[in-house]
Amino acid sequence: MTAPTDIDRYVEAHRQEHLDRLFAYLRIPGISAHGAGMAESAEHALGLLRGAGLNARLCPTVGAPFVYGEALVDPARPTLLIYGHYDVQPADPLDLWHSPPFEPTIRNGRIYARGVADNRGQHLAHILGLEAWRDCRGTLPLNVKVLLEGEEEVGSPRMPGFVADSRDLLRADVCVISDGGVDDSGRSVIRFGVRGVLSFELRARGAARDLHSGHWGEIAPNPIWTLVRLLATMKNGAGVVTIDGFGETVAPLSAEERAALAAMEGAQDEALRSIGLSEMQQHPARTLGERRAGWPSFTISGLHGGYGGPGSKTVLPCEAFAKCDIRLVPDQRADDVLAMVRRHVARHAPGVEVISHGAMEPSKTPLDSPYAAPVRRAIARVDGTEPMLLPAMGGSLPEYPFTHTLGIPCLGVPFANADEANHAPNENMEVKRFHRGIRIAAALLEEIAASSPSS
Ligand SMILES: [Zn+2]
């Protein structure tokens, strides 16, 4: 590892102050699902941006406001856009928390609090990285814009429209998002893309009421059988999605992407064991890494109908429904896939209703983006080891508005530990990763400014 810089020493000297400021932020709930503490959270985030010297304001929407700040130092220099979200998930179930979710507590080197990793500790690290730069070196080395969303945890319904309407405001050369965790092995990653997601429900109806299975079995249609047969036409035993037309929309992985995904396999075997599995569903051609992030998945999240209580009940149910989600990969579009689902259902099980429950598009930045090298250098400088390159993450984040609407590369640089327990009780972030995040955030400013591939 190289000798500590002025910024490393600054972050070390301000450890307690930075933690205090994180804790003050974490004490404000900010739950977008039902609105508790949202206005206060937005005001607090605004104060943080102003405190870092940004020209900041709230951008109201019909939902939660966006919080936006900028420091424009020189139009000839590159512009870095940093995205984060100030809303958090509900804390339920409260009885499973070992300390109150909105009273941050340090145990065993970890900060426990709702929203510490997802996402306040991560975007605050960027804000403190800007402050560290300003206090140590003065003017920022590049232009910086920070966009904090207040509805990420409810699916970012206003992100696409806001970004489309704010193209000039948000114009930038590269976007960096710090959300999610590093690799299971503890090594940092750079994430180049995310899968999209399409959520929908299939609803089958039979008779006007539940029926006696002896009197009406094989006479009245059974909606559960209707769904079971329909679902069996949508994915085969090898895990390949067989919805009519679906395969043609999937962009093949490049050799480079396949190699990067293969490089992550060792750690992922460990992950498989950590969820109590000794073997995975087999697929003739696709590796574990490719299946976790490079190909679509089709999940039945719930299949409901009829009787599920103790003992037996000989009933022929009158309705059944399946909750499903499809994770999307480039070049799929949620609307196209939903239309495919509707056509497929109409052909194989006419009468079954398809109800959309929202979608997020996939996003991809090429591995050879000119901004990959400076981001890699920044992380390597702080970590002392090279980050792993992850062509895509299995989950979904609102990166699409940046890559498609703004047309800029979007790189994920997660600061949290892999076992952050986001969305779950006892969400946590390792104290050292919070401080390291601040140092990486400051190093990013320097490396991106120095590489300046756009100039
Ligand atoms: Zn989240």
Side-chain angles (χ1 to χ4, degrees), residues 85 89 118 152-153 423:
H85 63 91
Q89 283 276 321
D118 185 11
E152 196 272 348
E153 299 294 9
H423 297 207

Side-chain angles (χ1 to χ4, degrees), residues 71-122:
L72 305 179
V73 296
D74 180 351
R77 306 241 183 117
T79 301
L80 166 65
L81 174 61
I82 297 162
Y83 164 88
H85 63 91
Y86 64 86
D87 64 324
V88 306
Q89 283 276 321
D92 316 71
L94 291 173
D95 54 332
L96 295 183
W97 284 79
H98 299 312
S99 52
F102 298 107
E103 186 43 62
T105 307
I106 295 181
R107 290 191 302 276
N108 302 324
R110 292 172 187 238
I111 309 154
Y112 287 85
R114 169 56 83 229
V116 62
D118 185 11
N119 167 259
R120 292 180 176 182
Q122 304 213 39

Side-chain angles (χ1 to χ4, degrees), residues 207 210-223 225 314-317:
D210 284 359
L211 301 170
H212 186 293
S213 71
H215 295 169
W216 295 102
E218 303 316 316
I219 295 165
N222 183 327
W225 272 117
T314 49
V315 66
L316 197 170

Side-chain angles (χ1 to χ4, degrees), residues 2-11 136-137 381 439 442 446:
T2 47
T5 64
D6 52 343
I7 287 176
D8 295 335
R9 286 192 299 272
Y10 173 94
V11 172
C136 293
R137 302 187 189 173
R381 193 138 67 85
R439 291 166 57 211
E446 185 169 10

